[in-house]
């Protein structure tokens, strides 16, 4: 199947309200262009430098999502164009994004990454840490950052019950926070192997790479 056919197949199998981020990390611009020509505009990358390089080569109406862990010293390279940062996980990173967004007179939409997996390697905050960030004076002073929801990565497992319980937990966090955060509108959870379960648990944004572009080396 071509990239366009795979995209089509995924789009037609998910509800219309679910945003599909095409995760193009490690893939050449020619692959991204194939998706672009099939009408796709939303791309996700996990390395700032790679995203910046692709941004210069791709048409200007692409929406770029930074889905990976972000080092503070890299924020300045993407602040002029990034449309969503998925893995906000500290006040220091929040303040740096705000500072760089201000320089470009922009408001950058961000998601808080919550740790839902059992593995040690996955980044993210606990629910309590996220709660204190949302209630912090620091955030109230960040006029150039909107935290619009949550992101999570489930454990790398085939166990559907475990995946469901991790996604259900993130959905619950999302609903709890949303009571006091009226601008919350995005719950980013689900990848190639688990997006169906994530959508069933309430995801409205999935990040799909290999099912669109093929496996990565
Ligand atoms: C790579 C990546 C994805 C996509 O993974 P696939 O299994 O290829 O769909 C989703 N989210 C994050 C944070 C990633 O780094």
């Amino acid at each position: 199947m071509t990239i366009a056919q795979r995209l089509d197949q995924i789009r037609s199998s998910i509800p219309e309200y679910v945003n599909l981020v095409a995760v193009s990390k490690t893939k050449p611009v020619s692959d991204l262009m194939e998706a672009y020509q099939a009408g796709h505009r939303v791309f996700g990358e996990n390395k700032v430098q790679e995203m910046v390089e692709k941004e210069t080569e791709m048409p200007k109406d692409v929406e770029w999502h930074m889905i990976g862990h972000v080092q503070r010293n890299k924020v300045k390279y993407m602040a002029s164009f990034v449309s969503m940062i998925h893995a906000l996980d500290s006040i220091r990173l929040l303040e740096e994004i705000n500072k760089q967004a201000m320089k470009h007179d922009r408001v950058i939409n961000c998601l808080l990454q919550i740790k839902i997996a059992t593995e040690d390697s996955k980044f993210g905050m606990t629910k309590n840490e996220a709660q204190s960030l949302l209630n912090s004076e620091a955030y109230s002073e960040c006029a150039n950052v909107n935290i619009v929801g949550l992101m999570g990565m489930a454990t790398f497992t085939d166990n559907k019950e475990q995946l469901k319980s991790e996604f259900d937990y993130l959905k619950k966090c999302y609903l709890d926070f949303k009571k006091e955060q009226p601008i919350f509108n995005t719950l980013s959870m689900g990848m190639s192997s688990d997006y169906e379960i994530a959508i069933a648990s309430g995801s409205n944004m999935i990040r799909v790479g290999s099912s669109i572009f093929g496996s990565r080396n």
Side-chain angles (χ1 to χ4, degrees):
M1 268 205 286
T2 65
I3 289 169
Q5 285 166 335
R6 293 203 201 101
L7 259 174
D8 244 23
Q9 196 175 62
I10 294 169
R11 277 211 213 96
S12 62
S13 74
I14 62 176
E16 214 173 318
Y17 65 82
V18 174
N19 277 301
L20 172 61
V21 178
V23 176
S24 48
K25 62 190 185 195
T26 78
K27 298 296 176 181
V29 166
S30 55
D31 283 6
L32 280 71
M33 275 312 294
E34 223 177 299
Y36 183 90
Q37 258 134 23
H40 201 75
R41 294 293 179 270
V42 186
F43 293 86
E45 292 283 336
N46 72 337
K47 294 207 170 74
V48 174
Q49 190 181 331
E50 185 176 344
M51 185 173 76
V52 167
E53 283 165 13
K54 287 172 174 172
E55 194 268 343
T56 62
E57 293 181 49
M58 291 288 291
K60 289 299 149 203
D61 61 344
V62 165
E63 229 184 77
W64 294 98
H65 287 232
M66 175 41 60
I67 62 170
H69 183 70
V70 177
Q71 288 173 288
R72 276 176 297 136
N73 62 355
K74 302 279 172 64
V75 175
K76 57 179 177 285
Y77 303 116
M78 63 175 168
S80 64
F81 68 87
V82 68
S83 66
M84 187 173 277
I85 297 175
H86 287 233
L88 178 52
D89 64 355
S90 74
I91 289 193
R92 290 171 74 197
L93 178 59
L94 165 70
E95 289 177 332
E96 179 62 16
I97 296 169
N98 187 62
K99 178 176 146 193
Q100 299 301 334
M102 202 183 313
K103 286 186 186 164
H104 296 279
D105 201 17
R106 300 184 65 217
V107 175
I108 297 181
N109 287 332
C110 293
L111 305 176
L112 292 180
Q113 182 172 3
I114 306 288
K115 183 173 159 34
I116 56 173
T118 53
E119 293 126 356
D120 289 339
S121 60
K122 306 262 160 82
F123 295 99
M125 314 172 92
T126 64
K127 186 184 184 195
N128 280 338
E129 289 165 346
Q131 180 73 264
S132 15
L133 187 149
L134 289 167
N135 294 338
S136 66
E137 197 172 316
Y139 179 44
S140 70
E141 288 165 2
C142 286
N144 295 75
V145 171
N146 278 342
I147 299 174
V148 297
L150 303 180
M151 180 274 237
M153 284 174 87
T155 301
F156 187 71
T157 176
D158 291 334
N159 184 333
K160 292 199 163 121
E161 293 304 313
Q162 185 178 351
L163 292 169
K164 180 179 179 322
S165 92
E166 292 176 2
F167 289 137
D168 283 348
Y169 174 71
L170 190 59
K171 168 74 177 194
K172 182 182 169 341
C173 295
Y174 175 79
L175 289 178
D176 285 349
F177 290 154
K178 192 172 158 63
K179 289 176 198 153
E180 283 164 10
Q181 307 289 330
I183 61 171
F184 262 41
N185 59 19
T186 304
L187 180 55
S188 167
M189 57 185 197
M191 323 195 336
S192 291
S193 56
D194 57 20
Y195 69 83
E196 280 137 336
I197 301 170
I199 291 170
S201 293
S203 169
N204 64 12
M205 183 174 280
I206 59 176
R207 310 174 309 270
V208 179
S210 43
S211 290
I212 298 171
F213 297 107
S215 60
R216 293 175 297 272
N217 296 324

